[in-house]
Amino acid sequence: MAAYGSRSLSPVEATTAILDRIGTADGDLGAYCLVDGDRALDQARASEARWLSDHPQGLLDGVPVSIKDIFLTDGWPTLRGSRSIDPDQPWTVDSPVAARLRADGMVFLGKTTTPELAWKAVTDSPLTGITRNPADPRLTAGGSSGGSAAAVAAGMGPCSVGTDGGGSVRIPASFCGIVGFKPTHGRIPLYPASPFGPLAHAGPMTRTVEDAALMMDILALPDPRDPTSLAPPQRTYRGEFNREVAGLHVAYSRDLGYANVDREVAAVVDAVVRRIDEAGLPVTEADPGFTDPIEAFEVLWASGAATLLDTMAATSPGTREKVDPGLGRVWDRGERISAVEYLRARDVAAQAGITMGSFHEEHNVLLTPAVGIPAFEAGHEVPPGSGLERWPQWATFSFPFNLTQQPAISIPVGVTAAGLPVGLQIVGPRHSDDLVLAVARFVEWLLEQ
């Protein structure tokens, strides 16, 4: 923003450069499902006029941004990676995320790819094909916000907004080597209401922790269309992210007490945790104390998917034949789940939240690997040859903190021998979004030294 203010760079120049980058890089990656260069340049010119008159509209006026194709965006179709959604209909509503970005004066580049209805932790769909990892295009970018992660990692825009129902911001952030922040549930309002209900979060995906904090100051205001949205923040995130964190009690769980972790991933995360401890932020090894909640998560996930797909099928004939086969299997399972099973799963989530509440009485934040494995071959739900059947079986570190609705961030902390990014996850108590960002910034600063 200083460059805009000093006239050394204009929003039009920045937007033109990024559109050029998209034109040269995205053919190999598939990060975008829609790019609207004409609209972006119109917005950039309007922003440039505001800067020239010394009246910028918001914190990030003129900064180019992309939006995951899950959020309703006025003037653009929101197809959610599905062939069952008709693009030829009025698109006149902004979701809270799009409305906040627009009100701030940000420049909308386009919409980023998602697996169909954001159902899995890799990004490919019958509608948009495969999204690939900028670190190695043979590999997945992760998901479900894989398009956003690939766009930011490849320089096709400095920031994006994704959704996270089981790790969908943090997993691709880890795989692609960027920052991905899932705030406390309700901190960023959503509309329409997500069928995944208590699991559903939105979050910024950026190159730096500071950029994530700036995005949070735009996105975190309440919206009357979301009855679960929280009250306005007491402090600005940009004012808190760089604060002193000395004296915190930090815990590190290498495997949550039950997860499998790739040896290279474990080595990278162990090394950065040692650096954190040696830098004056003492770290204690401690597991949270809950058992693997995968069954409860999959009940809630399948129930949400079935609810959404049943609604779509009622208005769009042929949905079952068009849907991603993997999503179809989740749909079938969801239709068999009873209300009692659903409520039992909600109880498991509540008990995990109670356990974490007690854990955070002793430990301010928890450190874990963001994902237990590096990126794997694109076009597969699970790593080929792993013997796994479903994506939650390898997304072990992310979905528990959707169940508990806590803030969690993935920041890049190193690479494997093959040069594949590895993320560190930092988890805090509910409503401690500013603390999580501050610890993330401390780690980011430490790695810059």
Side-chain angles (χ1 to χ4, degrees):
M1 305 313 292
Y4 287 173
S6 68
R7 315 289 197 266
S8 61
L9 179 69
S10 80
V12 173
E13 291 170 335
T15 301
T16 299
I18 291 171
L19 290 171
D20 288 345
R21 174 65 179 162
I22 294 170
T24 59
D26 200 41
D28 294 328
L29 299 176
Y32 282 89
C33 57
L34 183 154
V35 177
D36 192 340
D38 290 340
R39 176 176 293 197
L41 288 170
D42 285 344
Q43 292 177 338
R45 282 188 282 267
S47 173
E48 182 172 83
R50 291 191 293 270
W51 279 103
L52 289 172
S53 66
D54 293 321
H55 289 95
Q57 188 166 306
L59 287 174
L60 297 178
D61 191 347
V63 173
V65 65
S66 59
I67 303 169
K68 184 179 181 180
D69 193 31
I70 290 293
F71 300 106
L72 291 176
T73 308
D74 182 16
W76 289 342
T78 300
L79 303 183
R80 296 182 284 180
S82 179
R83 294 182 297 174
S84 296
I85 296 175
D86 181 8
D88 187 19
Q89 57 180 293
W91 299 100
T92 59
V93 175
D94 268 338
S95 62
V97 162
R100 293 290 182 224
L101 300 177
R102 197 184 302 278
D104 197 74
M106 297 189 76
V107 173
F108 289 13
L109 296 165
K111 306 199 81 174
T112 56
T113 51
T114 175
E116 188 167 13
L117 309 182
W119 79 272
K120 59 183 174 180
V122 294
T123 301
D124 58 69
S125 78
L127 181 67
T128 61
I130 296 172
T131 299
R132 301 180 180 275
N133 195 320
D136 183 341
R138 296 172 298 178
L139 307 181
T140 180
S144 63
S145 305
S148 290
V152 173
M156 295 186 290
C159 51
S160 190
V161 187
T163 60
D164 190 316
S168 291
V169 161
R170 291 159 289 152
I171 290 166
S174 180
F175 278 2
C176 293
I178 66 166
V179 173
F181 182 43
K182 178 190 79 70
T184 300
H185 184 267
R187 183 72 281 161
I188 296 176
L190 299 174
Y191 174 84
S194 171
F196 299 106
L199 302 175
H201 301 63
M205 306 181 73
T206 60
R207 296 175 189 167
T208 68
V209 175
E210 180 176 11
D211 286 349
L214 287 166
M215 292 286 287
M216 283 298 298
D217 279 334
I218 296 169
L219 297 169
L221 297 176
D223 188 291
R225 295 173 292 175
D226 184 350
T228 70
S229 66
L230 302 176
Q234 297 287 317
R235 298 179 289 266
T236 66
Y237 295 103
R238 66 186 182 279
E240 294 291 319
F241 86 97
N242 211 18
R243 75 185 198 220
E244 180 61 62
V245 295
L248 294 180
H249 294 275
V250 179
Y252 172 43
S253 178
R254 189 174 284 104
D255 59 7
L256 295 181
Y258 55 80
N260 294 319
V261 186
D262 175 85
R263 284 190 299 175
E264 282 194 272
V265 169
V268 170
V269 176
D270 282 348
V272 76
V273 169
R274 284 194 298 271
R275 289 191 63 181
I276 294 167
D277 183 76
E278 293 165 357
L281 200 58
V283 179
T284 301
E285 292 195 20
D287 295 330
F290 54 74
T291 57
D292 188 354
I294 188 170
E295 289 301 322
F297 173 78
E298 290 191 318
V299 166
L300 298 177
W301 194 252
S303 300
T307 299
L308 178 56
L309 286 160
D310 284 346
T311 301
M312 290 174 57
T315 58
S316 179
T319 293
R320 188 168 287 276
E321 291 71 31
K322 296 175 185 175
V323 78
D324 183 320
L327 178 56
R329 290 189 289 272
V330 176
W331 186 1
D332 290 340
R333 180 182 180 185
E335 290 189 315
R336 296 192 298 268
I337 292 169
S338 69
V340 171
E341 290 174 298
Y342 181 87
L343 290 174
R344 285 174 179 162
R346 287 294 303 270
D347 184 63
V348 170
Q351 293 304 316
I354 291 167
T355 297
M356 287 305 300
S358 177
F359 181 87
H360 285 299
E361 288 291 300
E362 183 176 354
H363 307 287
N364 296 105
V365 294
L366 169 67
L367 310 179
T368 76
V371 190
I373 56 175
F376 51 88
E377 185 179 348
H380 299 271
E381 182 183 345
V382 300
S386 66
L388 303 178
E389 297 177 348
R390 305 177 305 279
W391 67 265
Q393 294 173 313
W394 59 262
T396 327
F397 290 98
S398 56
F399 69 76
F401 304 109
N402 292 82
L403 292 170
T404 62
Q405 303 187 339
Q406 294 171 248
I409 194 169
S410 176
I411 61 171
V413 292
V415 296
T416 67
L420 301 180
V422 173
L424 172 74
Q425 179 172 237
I426 304 166
V427 184
R430 291 179 72 238
H431 310 298
S432 68
D433 307 81
D434 55 336
L435 174 65
V436 170
L437 288 166
V439 175
R441 175 53 194 153
F442 173 80
V443 178
E444 184 182 60
W445 169 84
L446 186 62
L447 296 175
E448 292 168 352
Q449 305 311 300

